Amino acid sequence: MGDAHRIGVVGLGVISRAYLETLAGHPAVRVTAVADLDAARSAAVAAGLPGARALPVDALLSSPDVDTVLNLTVPVAHAGIALGAVRHGKHVYGEKPLAATFAEARAVLEEAAAAGVGVGCAPDTVLGTGVQTARAAVEAGSIGHPQSASAVMVTPGHERWHPHPDFYYTEGGGPLLDMGPYYLTSLIHLLGPVRAVIGAAGRLRAERVIGSGPRAGERIPVEVDSHVCGVLEHDNGALTTLTTSFDGVATTAAPIEVHGESASLSVPDPNRFDGEVRLHALGDTRWRALPVSAGYEEGARGVGLLDFLSAGGRRADGELALHVLEAMTALLRSAAEGRRVELTTTARVPAPVPLTPARVWRGRAAAGPA
């Protein structure tokens, strides 16, 4: 990338800490500006980043010292910040989902294409050794022809641990739009794009109680469906059954299983970068762990942005994020209308990630030993 690529961060909530741990001090990038609706928070974060300035949001989006905007705002703000960055000629990389609605997300990509700037989007956990090792096994033919998959995410809700969980239960939130991107992005890596969906959904509680922080005990309204399930029809004919829920306590189901003609594959939690990949071949009596064979070792939030900025990367790109978002919003529409919904988008399956040691992607190989 030559000179360090200049990053401006908008949104300094909980997830920003993980990104900054990865990006601050990386030789390929430099955080030059930060912005948040809370000016005091912005000033405090900037004080801990040599060379970074605390700016108002509009000033950061137009700053000549920013090449790419890292958008870590709440979902309903994703499109507005992304469009603001694009209109100032900036690349933008954002947290998932790409936008709160499919129409907004499509507008972001259309304007970015017209402006000649790039759009990237989380999740980047799927670029770690867990999902990438599983993908390598599928592509090597270890399970035979893939025929089906299951994906399950069940939690009692993020209000138990997040001090300000309101956005999880408003437009752009809910278990599907919040956690679904990890699962659907992984499934596209494993099985390819989706052509149609059938969904069902429910909202089992009208309120949630914040469980931690200064607002503990406060009740917040639930404005979105909190249990969503459905079937994904992949282009290759494989069928995935999907469940995402904020209405359960726990589950023993594997996060993702892929079933082929000759074996089944257990894939670790796609909200993590690593985890054990297990294979159960036809005729075997037990599951066996597969050795790590692909992905960014010791992956961390922000590796997708580094990949996005690299010459041969761009695996966490806007086209894939748009397709994932359409699949999710189509599931919700299918649930509301009681019918099968065909998708209007597709996406290329990103290039696989070769096994990449942490010292390499963190830039220590070029910078010398730590």
Side-chain angles (χ1 to χ4, degrees), residues 156-183:
H158 296 341
E159 73 277 4
R160 297 177 65 251
W161 59 268
H162 198 293
H164 301 286
D166 310 66
F167 67 94
Y168 290 118
Y169 298 99
T170 60
E171 183 182 20
L176 181 60
L177 289 182
D178 176 56
M179 297 299 292
Y182 299 106
Y183 292 80

Side-chain angles (χ1 to χ4, degrees), residues 127-139:
L127 305 180
T129 54
V131 171
Q132 291 299 309
T133 293
R135 173 177 171 175
V138 172
E139 293 182 348

